[in-house]
């Protein structure tokens, strides 16, 4: 007999099959069925539309056998999607419209390169999120640069989100609870970056149960522990990951025989429930990297055998929450973070390593109040951030050839007052009104150049200097950032959303590479580099179908950004003061249409999305050729990839196995191709003229994963699972870059592929507790 | 990670049609010239065409005008009577036949500085020759010590000229070599395979002349104690195990000549990785006076020079080189002489002087 597991009602017309379509029947009105079978063992499958399929093994041995089944309605299952818009209930709790949440649990089931669960790669399966390729130091959201995303973990800003030059995300996967992505509406409490917010949170420690989890993959080893200290009061969670296996790389390819790489990261969260009204939490994040390969070029004017990179991030945040009244909450937080990248240059003749060190220091204080009253939910607060940048220090160590040099420290102060109010005007209409007022100034001490007016900024056009005293404001900028969101229920399952955002960005990466290097320079706005101001308009329709089993969405956006930063041809940033002579500012316009269909429940879940989008820049500071890029015309940004299609399916036939496929397609990213030859001392070189005037071939890739959870199915304290992954299943040589070299006086073009063959990997994961 | 590089037939043809200038005048007592060409689309490919009919002048110190005369391949030569003098200011200007007038920024001739010791070190993997196979050529690194003028910004470039003793003076494909007086030529033999190569031994001494292909530049902005020590100045490919003669030249550049070379060099170093500096347009210091919007590519400069000849005695490093095969002077091929048929075949070949070969023993050669 077959019943509904929730209502216990008999289920008529349920398909019952023996073996693989050997024999089949349907249940009658009473939910009953019968077969006449010879003795033996049979696989019986029960299938009904809207219910989770059940398979049973039945042994027939002389006599009647009863095989009953209770089918679980799919609509009753938890959503199995990597991304969900917040449900309407959740929206009542947070004054936010249009936030997407990345499920780390679902992400872990999807294929991962080399078995490393990767938040940034997961994000790229979403519409509107792209990158410049497999090794890219961050993601590009709706036509923005990587540094236009505010990326925080428990309020700690992340200045470099990847390990090994972009191959892996720099977040310990076992520590993360969730990732919220605000690519449309951004709540007023967030600010400082122009495009989007990626808000990650560490999982809260368990306050009553000790547990361990961890794993081993080809690349890294992981261990995480939940440590209750004081039952129901205090606990700590620590998650670590370390990769020291670069000695394995030459097995993959002899090209990698000189690669040495190691990385590690730690996530920590301490939680103390002081009493019923107040809670204190402290989060820590540490990330470290070392990378060396002959693929990296050397630094001009320092004679070195090769280049090595190392970088470290250390961040701490403390948050105190206090319930003043049942509908009024206070939250105070303090954050400090330090990002310190270093370039190491081993000298050719000696054992000495010359170092080029730099750092970004970030300190923030914030206080906010959340007030629920009637149809209103109001959040308001103040925040102050101090930036301290050491842009470059040359440390010769024992070198006899290189001087010691330290560029002047840079400092800046950003302050903000914000408030937003989510108002439920009716059952159908909810709006969010927000305003953030920000002010910023670079601070002294500094010696500021004055350039001749109406001339390109260069060393030769300096007409004087001005000294700014310690702590004095150099060039203040301020302005309002209005935020607006609207959610309207067109029909019970159909939602219309509209949004408008303005955001100001006062700190940015200055880079002349396709994706910022870990060592790329951070620069606050000053007399010459104006803040970036971005305005985004977005609109979307969201439709639930089939009792919320399916989701369909269609979104469009247009974004305009003033004062984007571009480098001049031949710009040099390393150990250079006055980099305003090396950069130009312009504008960006990005627009796109994003469509997505997801199936969120059932044996087969997944989604397909297609995006058409453009991201174009224009730089035209003046009439001179050195004040323009591409003669002041609009041109494709590095991550302008008009067509993107992502698909992911996950099949979970039972509790033991999950199979998943992901497919990604996108138009190839732009690159700069030569427009002709030029001869220098009898050798022919490529002559480049326009930036980003060609595209690498289209990118596509299929991945597969098979997760096996606790094959014995017995409830034990130790639970193990295996993840078998094939990345780039059909071995496409996707071009990361196309480049040109002169070989035997001939100009030749080459393609660099990063994962040029199928990558098979196996990872073992466990939990104990 | 299975990274790989392969050859890829990417776009190489542009729609450009622009003038390119290459010219660095020095105080070396030798032929001084600037080259003026046009880089443009030639049907399916892009090429360079020499501009042979321009009027080219060098303006010294704002007033003295010297005419440069076209000789060959767009090369305009300075009269031998005109010397480039350290401390003087020079500007290049030229007018094309269609009446367009171009000129360079003025450049002040830097004084030259000397260098002292040259040391060598064998490096089995020195020069990337093929990104696909990740093949590096063996070479000898040449290091110098040099004083650096204090209290001023100094910019250097090093080039080398290499003389290698060559034993093969002619190679015939699907043919044999015939001697006629002081010259010789290959005569096709259909009986031989199309790819058959015969090599003919030189009649007397003969030297191949190899010039540096890499750009080696340096600025002293991060240099300690006004002294260049163990500065890598050249990488001489390991062509053969016998000794060779290297002339190493040091140029003192102007600041923008250094920047221009640095830009070119970034492209040479390009390996497609994300650490690459992306290609940049080579806007130099030449502009069209009559039409400011015309893009002109190239650079004119003056440079003080100093040179030294160095006997690179390779057997001294035999222990280091013993496991590495020399590249040879026939592109890695072993000598394949025509089968002997005495008394007349095979003949010796003539060492024909050219830009890359000379029968005259260079000064400094040791026997």
């Amino acid at each position: 007999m077959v019943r509904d597991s929730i209502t216990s009602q008999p289920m008529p017309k349920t398909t019952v099959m023996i073996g693989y379509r050997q024999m089949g029947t349907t249940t009658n009105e009473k939910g009953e069925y019968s077969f006449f079978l010879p003795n033996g063992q049979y696989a019986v499958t029960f299938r009904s539309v809207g219910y989770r399929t059940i398979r049973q093994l039945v042994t027939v041995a002389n006599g009647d056998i009863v095989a009953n089944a209770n089918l679980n309605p799919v609509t009753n299952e938890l959503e199995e999607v990597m991304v969900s818009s917040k449900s309407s209930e959740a929206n009542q709790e947070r004054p936010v419209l249009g936030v997407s949440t990345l499920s780390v649990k679902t992400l872990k089931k999807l294929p991962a390169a080399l078995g490393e669960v990767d938040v940034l790669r997961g994000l790229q399966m979403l519409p509107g999120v792209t990158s410049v390729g497999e090794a890219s130091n961050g993601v590009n959201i709706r036509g923005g640069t990587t540094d236009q995303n505010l990326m925080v973990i428990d309020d700690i800003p992340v200045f470099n989100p990847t390990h090994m030059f972009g191959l892996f995300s720099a977040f310990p996967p076992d520590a993360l609870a969730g990732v919220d992505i605000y690519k449309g509406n951004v709540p007023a409490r967030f600010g400082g970056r122009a495009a989007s917010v990626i808000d990650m949170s560490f999982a809260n420690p368990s306050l009553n149960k000790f547990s361990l989890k961890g794993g081993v993959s080809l690349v890294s080893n992981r261990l995480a522990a939940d440590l209750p200290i004081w039952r129901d009061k205090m606990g700590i969670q620590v998650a670590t990951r370390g990769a020291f296996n670069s000695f394995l790389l030459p097995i993959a390819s002899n090209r990698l025989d000189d690669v040495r790489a190691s990385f590690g990261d730690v996530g920590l969260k301490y939680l103390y429930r002081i009493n019923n009204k107040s809670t204190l939490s402290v989060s820590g994040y540490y990330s470290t990297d070392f990378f060396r390969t002959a693929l990296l070029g050397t630094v001009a004017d320092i004679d070195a055998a090769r280049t090595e990179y190392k970088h470290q991030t250390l961040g701490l945040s403390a948050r105190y929450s206090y319930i003043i009244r049942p509908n009024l909450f206070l939250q105070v937080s303090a954050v400090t973070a330090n990002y310190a990248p270093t370039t190491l240059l081993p000298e050719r003749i000696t054992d000495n390593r010359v170092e080029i060190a730099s750092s970004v220091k970030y300190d923030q204080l914030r206080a906010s109040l959340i007030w629920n009253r009637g149809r209103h939910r109001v959040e308001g607060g103040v925040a102050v951030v101090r930036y301290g940048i050491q842009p470059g220090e040359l440390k010769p160590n024992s070198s006899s050839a290189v001087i010691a040099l330290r560029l002047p420290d840079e400092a800046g102060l950003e302050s903000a007052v914000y408030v937003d109010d989510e108002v439920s005007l009716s059952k159908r209409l909810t709006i969010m009104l927000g305003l953030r007022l920000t002010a910023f100034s670079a601070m002294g001490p500094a010696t500021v150049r004055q350039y001749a007016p109406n001339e390109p900024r260069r060393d030769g056009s300096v007409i004087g200097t001005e000294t700014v005293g310690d702590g004095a404001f150099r060039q203040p900028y301020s302005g309002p950032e209005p935020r607006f969101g609207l959610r309207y229920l067109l029909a019970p399952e159909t939602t219309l959303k509209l949004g408008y955002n303005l955001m100001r960005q006062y700190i940015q990466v200055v880079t002349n590479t396709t994706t910022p290097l870990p060592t790329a320079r951070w620069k606050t706005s000053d007399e010459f580099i104006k803040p970036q101001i971005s305005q985004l308009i977005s609109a979307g329709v969201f439709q639930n179908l089939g009792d919320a089993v399916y989701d369909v969405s269609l979104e469009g956006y247009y974004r305009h950004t003033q004062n984007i930063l571009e480098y001049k041809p031949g710009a040099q940033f390393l150990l250079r003061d006055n980099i305003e002579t090396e950069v130009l500012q312009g504008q960006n316009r990005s627009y796109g249409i994003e469509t997505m269909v997801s199936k969120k429940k059932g044996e087969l879940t997944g989604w397909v999305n297609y995006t058409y989008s453009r991201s174009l820049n224009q730089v035209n500071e003046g009439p001179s050729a050195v004040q323009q890029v591409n003669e002041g015309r609009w041109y494709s940004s590095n991550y302008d990839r008009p067509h993107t299609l992502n698909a992911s399916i996950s099949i979970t036939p039972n509790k033991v196995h999950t199979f998943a496929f992901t497919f990604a397609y996108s138009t190839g990213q732009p690159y700069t191709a030569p427009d002709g030859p030029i001869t220098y001392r009898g050798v022919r070189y490529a002559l480049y003229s326009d930036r980003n005037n060609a595209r690498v071939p289209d990118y596509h890739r299929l991945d597969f994963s098979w997760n096996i959870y606790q094959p014995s199915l017995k409830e034990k304290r130790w639970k193990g699972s295996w993840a078998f992954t094939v990345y780039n299943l059909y071995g496409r040589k996707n071009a990361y870059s196309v480049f040109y070299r002169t070989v035997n006086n001939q100009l030749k073009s080459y393609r660099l592929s990063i994962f040029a063959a199928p990558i098979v990997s196996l990872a073992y994961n466990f939990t104990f507790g | 990670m299975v990274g790989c590089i392969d050859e890829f037939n990417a776009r190489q043809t542009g729609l450009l049609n622009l003038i390119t200038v290459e010219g660095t005048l020095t105080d070396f007592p030798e032929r001084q010239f600037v080259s003026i060409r046009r880089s443009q689309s030639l049907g399916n490919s892009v090429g360079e065409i020499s501009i042979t009919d321009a009027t080219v002048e060098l303006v010294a110190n704002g007033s003295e005008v010297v005419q440069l005369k076209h000789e060959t391949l767009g090369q305009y030569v300075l009269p031998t009577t005109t010397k480039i003098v350290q401390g003087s200011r020079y500007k290049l200007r030229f007018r094309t036949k269609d009446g367009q007038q171009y000129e360079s920024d003025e450049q002040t001739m830097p004084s030259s500085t000397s260098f002292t010791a040259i040391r060598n070190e064998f490096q089995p993997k020195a020069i990337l020759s093929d990104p696909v196979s990740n093949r590096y050529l063996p070479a000898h690194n040449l290091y110098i010590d040099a004083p650096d003028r204090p209290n001023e910004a100094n910019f250097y470039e090093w080039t080398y000229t290499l003389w290698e003793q060559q034993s093969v003076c002619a190679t015939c494909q699907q043919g044999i070599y015939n001697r006629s007086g002081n010259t010789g030529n290959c005569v096709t033999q259909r009986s031989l395979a199309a790819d058959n190569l015969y090599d003919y031994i030189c009649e007397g001494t003969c030297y191949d002349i190899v010039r540096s292909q890499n750009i080696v530049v340096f600025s002293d902005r991060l240099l300690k104690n006004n002294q260049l020590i163990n500065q890598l100045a050249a990488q001489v490919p390991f062509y053969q195990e016998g000794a060779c003669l290297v002339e190493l030249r040091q140029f003192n550049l102007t600041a923008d000549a250094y920047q221009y070379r640095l830009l070119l060099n970034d492209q040479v170093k390009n390996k497609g990785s994300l650490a690459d500096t992306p290609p940049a347009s080579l806007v130099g210091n030449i502009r069209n006076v009559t039409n400011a919007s015309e893009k002109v590519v190239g650079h004119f400069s003056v440079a003080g020079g100093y040179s030294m000849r160095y006997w690179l005695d390779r057997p001294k490093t035999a222990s280091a080189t013993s496991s590495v095969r020399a590249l040879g002077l026939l592109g890695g091929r072993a000598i394949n002489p025509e089968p002997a048929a005495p008394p007349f075949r095979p003949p010796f070949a003539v060492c024909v002087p050219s830009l890359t070969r000379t029968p005259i023993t260079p000064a400094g050669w040791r026997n």
Side-chain angles (χ1 to χ4, degrees):
Chain A
M1 182 165 185
V2 181
R3 292 174 188 274
D4 182 307
S5 67
I6 305 293
T7 62
S8 296
Q9 291 297 310
M11 287 180 56
K13 292 183 182 173
T14 299
T15 306
V16 184
M17 280 196 298
I18 302 294
Y20 182 72
R21 296 192 176 173
Q22 284 173 327
M23 216 180 276
T25 185
T26 51
T27 53
N28 60 21
E29 292 299 311
K30 296 176 185 169
E32 294 165 348
Y33 72 99
S34 62
F35 283 105
F36 295 98
L37 295 167
N39 288 352
Q41 217 174 35
Y42 298 93
V44 188
T45 307
F46 303 90
R47 198 187 296 274
S48 183
V49 173
Y51 288 82
R52 165 72 66 143
T53 300
I54 282 187
R55 294 176 186 82
Q56 282 183 6
L57 206 58
V58 173
T59 306
V60 178
N62 301 326
D64 288 351
I65 295 292
V66 177
N68 291 334
N70 290 324
L71 296 194
N72 198 27
V74 165
T75 49
N76 194 46
E77 292 184 2
L78 290 173
E79 292 184 358
E80 277 285 337
V81 284
M82 197 171 76
V83 163
S84 58
S85 287
K86 284 284 176 194
S87 63
S88 53
E89 293 91 327
N91 248 333
Q92 296 296 322
E93 291 166 20
R94 301 173 69 180
V96 174
L97 298 170
V99 52
S100 300
T101 297
L102 185 79
S103 156
V104 175
K105 187 181 153 205
T106 311
L107 184 63
K108 284 181 176 174
K109 291 182 182 173
L110 294 183
L114 290 161
E116 289 299 297
V117 174
D118 195 305
V119 170
L120 293 181
R121 281 185 203 281
L123 281 178
Q124 288 173 56
M125 293 301 290
L126 306 182
V129 185
T130 59
S131 74
V132 296
E134 257 133 0
S136 76
N137 203 9
V139 291
N140 303 103
I141 296 184
R142 287 186 167 172
T145 55
T146 54
D147 65 324
Q148 286 175 348
N149 306 319
L150 175 66
M151 198 176 275
V152 288
I153 304 186
D154 280 355
D155 294 338
I156 301 166
V158 179
F159 290 93
N160 180 60
T162 66
H163 289 306
M164 284 182 75
F165 267 59
L167 289 182
F168 306 109
S169 296
F171 313 113
D174 292 327
L176 290 180
V179 184
D180 287 346
I181 308 110
Y182 301 87
K183 57 178 190 173
N185 280 135
V186 175
R189 69 175 181 278
F190 293 114
R193 300 295 175 88
S196 73
V197 177
I198 299 170
D199 183 21
M200 292 172 276
S201 50
F202 284 139
N204 278 332
S206 167
L207 298 182
N208 48 39
K209 192 179 173 198
F210 166 82
S211 68
L212 272 180
K213 59 183 169 180
V216 179
S217 77
L218 285 182
V219 175
S220 75
N221 314 303
R222 287 173 287 113
L223 189 67
D226 245 335
L227 307 163
I229 297 170
W230 181 2
R231 194 173 172 81
D232 294 332
K233 278 277 190 188
M234 192 187 287
I236 288 185
Q237 192 192 59
V238 188
T240 61
R241 173 169 65 161
F244 326 102
N245 305 347
S246 69
F247 60 89
L248 292 173
L249 291 172
I251 299 169
S253 164
N254 64 359
R255 180 176 294 279
L256 303 174
D257 58 3
D258 67 338
V259 173
R260 296 285 177 275
S262 58
F263 65 80
D265 40 41
V266 181
L268 178 147
K269 187 149 187 181
Y270 161 87
L271 185 71
Y272 176 33
R273 280 203 188 126
I274 301 165
N275 53 41
N276 282 345
K277 289 194 163 184
S278 48
T279 308
L280 174 71
S281 70
V282 177
S283 300
Y285 170 64
Y286 174 74
S287 160
T288 181
D289 245 278
F290 173 82
F291 196 59
R292 164 188 138 188
T293 165
L295 266 177
L296 306 175
T298 49
V299 172
D301 304 327
I302 298 176
D303 187 37
R306 59 176 181 272
T307 306
E308 302 169 348
Y309 287 83
K310 70 173 186 187
H311 48 91
Q312 286 186 337
T313 300
L314 181 61
L316 273 175
S317 71
R319 205 185 285 178
Y320 174 75
S321 306
Y322 181 69
I323 303 172
I324 302 168
R325 288 208 303 265
N327 65 344
L328 185 64
F329 310 91
L330 168 74
Q331 200 170 71
V332 181
S333 67
V335 181
T336 181
N338 189 55
Y339 174 58
T342 305
T343 307
L344 298 168
L345 301 162
E347 289 187 299
R348 245 179 248 276
I349 303 286
T350 65
D351 291 336
N352 181 50
R353 278 175 160 77
V354 174
E355 286 180 43
I356 303 172
S358 64
S359 64
V360 184
K361 182 100 169 58
Y362 174 101
D363 297 296
Q364 181 193 262
L365 284 174
R366 191 166 78 178
S368 62
L369 278 172
I370 301 166
W371 184 39
N372 289 311
R373 186 160 191 271
R375 294 183 302 187
H376 294 267
R377 184 184 159 92
V378 182
E379 179 171 358
V382 291
V384 180
V385 180
R386 187 189 182 280
Y387 299 100
I389 297 173
Q390 168 39 244
E393 182 179 5
L394 181 61
K395 297 177 182 172
N397 297 325
S398 65
S399 171
S400 57
V402 177
I403 54 166
L405 176 76
R406 186 182 163 98
L407 297 183
D409 288 346
E410 296 171 6
L413 194 70
E414 182 178 341
S415 44
V417 183
Y418 59 89
V419 63
D420 55 23
D421 183 9
E422 188 180 78
V423 199
S424 301
L425 293 173
S426 71
K427 278 188 176 173
R428 291 190 150 196
L429 180 64
T430 307
I431 61 166
M432 187 197 75
L433 291 167
L435 183 66
R436 185 180 174 93
L437 297 169
T438 59
F440 174 85
S441 180
M443 296 195 302
T447 305
V448 182
R449 283 177 167 187
Q450 291 163 320
Y451 295 93
N454 306 320
E455 265 192 57
R457 288 187 303 266
R458 54 190 171 86
D459 291 345
S461 63
V462 177
I463 53 171
T465 56
E466 190 188 345
T467 305
V468 182
D470 193 357
F473 290 128
R474 285 172 57 179
Q475 170 73 54
Y477 294 100
S478 62
E481 299 183 20
R483 316 276 171 90
F484 170 74
L486 177 148
R487 172 196 171 98
Y488 183 72
L489 280 179
L490 294 169
E493 299 292 337
T494 312
T495 315
L496 169 76
K497 291 180 182 176
L498 299 173
Y500 167 78
N501 265 353
L502 188 148
M503 297 207 275
R504 295 170 194 269
Q505 179 165 347
Y506 301 107
I507 182 168
Q508 47 251 312
V509 152
V510 182
T511 177
N512 60 356
T513 51
T514 313
T515 183
L517 294 182
T519 48
R521 183 158 169 179
W522 287 83
K523 178 87 186 88
T524 56
S525 296
D526 60 18
E527 294 79 358
F528 310 105
I529 296 171
K530 299 186 194 81
Q532 301 183 49
I533 302 170
S534 173
Q535 297 182 77
L536 175 86
I537 305 169
S538 55
V541 181
F542 302 81
Q543 171 82 48
N544 276 333
L545 294 170
D547 280 339
V549 172
Y550 296 93
D551 239 6
V552 180
S553 68
L554 172 71
E555 284 183 85
Y557 67 90
Y558 179 87
R559 198 161 85 87
H560 179 263
T561 310
Q562 288 166 258
N563 305 329
I564 59 155
L565 213 55
E566 271 282 17
Y567 61 93
K568 282 185 182 174
Q572 305 281 334
F573 300 123
L574 199 65
L575 296 172
R576 301 272 170 171
D577 212 353
N578 305 112
I579 55 168
E580 64 270 13
T581 59
E582 306 288 306
V583 295
L584 297 169
Q585 289 197 287
Q587 56 177 335
N588 170 276
R589 67 169 188 228
S590 300
Y591 50 89
I593 290 182
E594 303 163 353
T595 60
M596 181 146 162
V597 178
S598 354
K599 181 172 182 289
K600 299 191 288 186
K601 298 175 181 179
E603 190 172 292
L604 186 151
T605 58
W607 70 88
V608 182
N609 61 55
Y610 166 78
T611 303
Y612 174 78
S613 64
R614 298 303 308 270
S615 174
L616 305 165
N617 293 341
Q618 185 190 43
V619 178
N620 190 2
E621 270 199 10
S624 159
V626 296
Q627 293 172 295
Q628 302 170 340
V629 175
N630 292 5
E631 282 110 31
R633 286 175 276 115
W634 287 94
Y635 61 95
S636 292
S637 70
N638 289 338
Y639 35 84
D640 175 44
R641 312 179 82 160
H643 301 282
T644 308
L645 178 83
N646 293 307
S648 170
I649 57 166
S650 179
I651 304 159
T652 312
N654 51 45
K655 287 181 177 173
V656 178
H657 301 283
T658 302
F659 305 94
F661 290 90
T662 54
F663 175 76
Y665 164 87
S666 67
T667 314
Q669 76 266 24
Y671 75 99
T672 302
D675 281 316
I678 185 167
T679 304
Y680 173 71
R681 278 207 331 254
V683 180
R684 195 168 254 219
Y685 296 95
L687 170 58
Y688 298 90
S689 180
D690 278 358
R691 199 174 288 183
N692 288 349
N693 57 357
R695 283 184 188 279
V696 307
D698 289 353
Y699 181 99
H700 50 91
R701 193 191 79 232
L702 179 69
D703 309 327
F704 166 72
S705 73
W706 176 18
N707 285 281
I708 307 163
Y709 304 97
Q710 210 185 358
S712 72
L713 273 179
K714 286 178 187 159
E715 282 300 322
K716 291 179 183 169
R717 291 192 77 190
W718 181 280
K719 292 177 186 170
S721 68
W722 292 92
F724 170 77
T725 306
V726 187
Y727 185 86
N728 197 9
L729 197 63
Y730 53 83
R732 177 165 164 89
K733 287 184 177 181
N734 282 306
Y736 174 76
S737 64
V738 169
F739 63 102
Y740 298 77
R741 284 179 74 97
T742 302
V743 176
N744 297 328
N745 218 6
Q746 291 280 316
L747 194 60
K748 288 193 168 183
S749 47
Y750 299 93
R751 166 178 62 183
L752 169 71
S753 312
I754 291 188
F755 295 108
I759 316 273
V760 179
S761 61
L762 188 65
Y764 176 74
N765 300 303
F766 69 87
T767 59
F768 175 79
Chain B
M1 182 161 55
V2 188
C4 106
I5 291 174
D6 54 3
E7 268 195 67
F8 178 73
N9 190 18
R11 179 187 135 164
Q12 289 205 14
T13 58
L15 304 167
L16 279 189
N17 181 0
L18 45 79
I19 285 181
T20 66
V21 177
E22 181 201 359
T24 303
L25 302 178
T26 72
D27 50 2
F28 280 115
E30 60 187 20
R31 184 171 173 263
Q32 299 291 328
F33 63 93
V34 297
S35 300
I36 303 176
R37 307 184 190 96
R38 186 175 286 280
S39 185
Q40 68 177 49
S41 179
L42 303 168
N44 291 329
S45 66
V46 180
E48 286 181 292
I49 297 170
S50 302
I51 294 178
T52 58
D53 50 7
T55 309
V56 183
E57 292 168 338
L58 183 72
V59 184
N61 298 317
S63 56
E64 305 150 40
V65 178
V66 183
Q67 187 111 15
L68 281 74
K69 196 173 155 227
H70 182 258
E71 278 190 358
T72 177
L73 300 168
Q75 294 176 355
Y76 293 82
V77 181
L78 193 70
T80 49
T81 49
T82 306
K83 300 286 177 232
I84 302 296
V85 183
Q86 299 185 351
S88 292
R89 292 172 286 118
Y90 295 93
K91 180 198 273 192
L92 182 77
R93 69 184 185 205
F94 60 96
R95 195 173 64 246
T96 52
K97 211 173 181 188
D98 57 3
Q100 300 292 312
Q101 181 85 40
Y102 302 84
E103 68 176 35
S104 74
D105 288 346
E106 198 168 58
Q107 302 273 298
T108 302
M109 174 72 167
S111 53
S112 58
T113 52
S114 63
F115 57 91
T116 50
I118 299 186
R119 283 179 294 283
N120 78 73
E121 181 191 56
F122 181 70
Q123 199 182 339
K125 290 171 108 185
I127 305 164
L128 180 62
S129 73
D130 179 15
V132 176
S133 59
N134 203 28
R135 181 174 175 234
Y136 284 79
L137 303 182
H140 285 80
N141 288 351
L142 299 190
Y143 298 96
I144 60 157
D145 292 349
D148 177 68
R149 270 195 305 266
N151 307 322
E152 62 178 285
N154 294 294
F155 305 94
Y156 301 93
E157 180 178 24
W158 291 279
T159 67
Y160 69 82
T161 304
L162 167 69
W163 287 271
E164 296 272 2
Q165 191 153 21
Q166 174 62 282
S167 55
V168 172
C169 277
T171 298
C172 293
Q173 183 173 357
Q174 200 185 18
I176 57 168
Y177 184 78
N178 267 0
R179 187 68 198 269
S180 55
N182 284 333
T183 59
N185 61 313
C186 291
V187 177
T188 304
Q189 298 281 301
R190 296 280 169 215
S191 57
L192 295 171
D195 58 353
N196 184 76
L197 295 173
Y198 281 149
D199 299 311
Y200 296 87
I201 304 300
C202 300
E203 192 174 36
T205 52
C206 188
Y207 303 90
D208 268 7
I209 306 168
V210 182
R211 292 178 178 82
S212 44
Q213 300 266 310
N214 292 346
I215 298 170
V216 186
V217 287
F218 184 78
S219 121
D220 68 349
R221 77 184 180 103
L222 303 174
L223 184 69
K224 196 173 190 173
N225 298 337
N226 299 115
Q227 183 69 37
L228 287 155
I229 296 166
N230 281 323
Q231 173 66 40
L232 179 69
Q235 292 188 299
V236 178
F238 181 44
Y239 286 118
Q240 44 192 359
E241 281 158 16
C244 61
L245 181 70
V246 188
E247 180 177 285
L248 191 63
R249 286 186 164 191
Q250 174 173 290
F251 295 97
N252 289 71
L253 303 178
T254 61
D256 58 341
Y258 163 81
Q259 284 298 340
Y260 184 79
R261 283 156 177 75
L262 206 58
L263 260 180
L264 264 178
N265 201 24
D266 278 344
Q267 297 173 23
V268 178
K269 290 194 299 192
N270 215 325
K271 292 175 182 176
S273 83
L274 82 168
D276 277 353
T277 309
S281 59
L282 289 163
V283 178
N285 65 350
I286 319 271
R287 64 186 167 276
N288 184 331
V289 184
T290 37
N291 175 14
S293 65
E294 183 184 336
K295 196 187 246 182
V296 185
V297 167
H299 198 266
F300 165 78
S301 70
V302 281
Y306 180 85
S307 73
M308 184 186 275
R309 291 195 176 192
Y310 177 69
W311 184 248
L312 178 56
D313 202 358
R314 287 168 172 144
K316 276 186 184 167
T317 57
S319 59
T321 59
S322 57
S323 60
V324 180
R325 260 186 60 193
L327 301 165
L329 288 165
L330 296 174
R333 197 166 53 78
I335 295 176
N336 183 34
E338 182 189 321
F344 301 113
R345 302 238 28 115
F348 286 110
V350 182
C351 182
V352 182
S354 71
L355 281 173
T356 58
R357 189 164 284 180
T358 180
I360 301 164
T361 302
W365 187 271
R366 297 181 200 170
N367 284 313

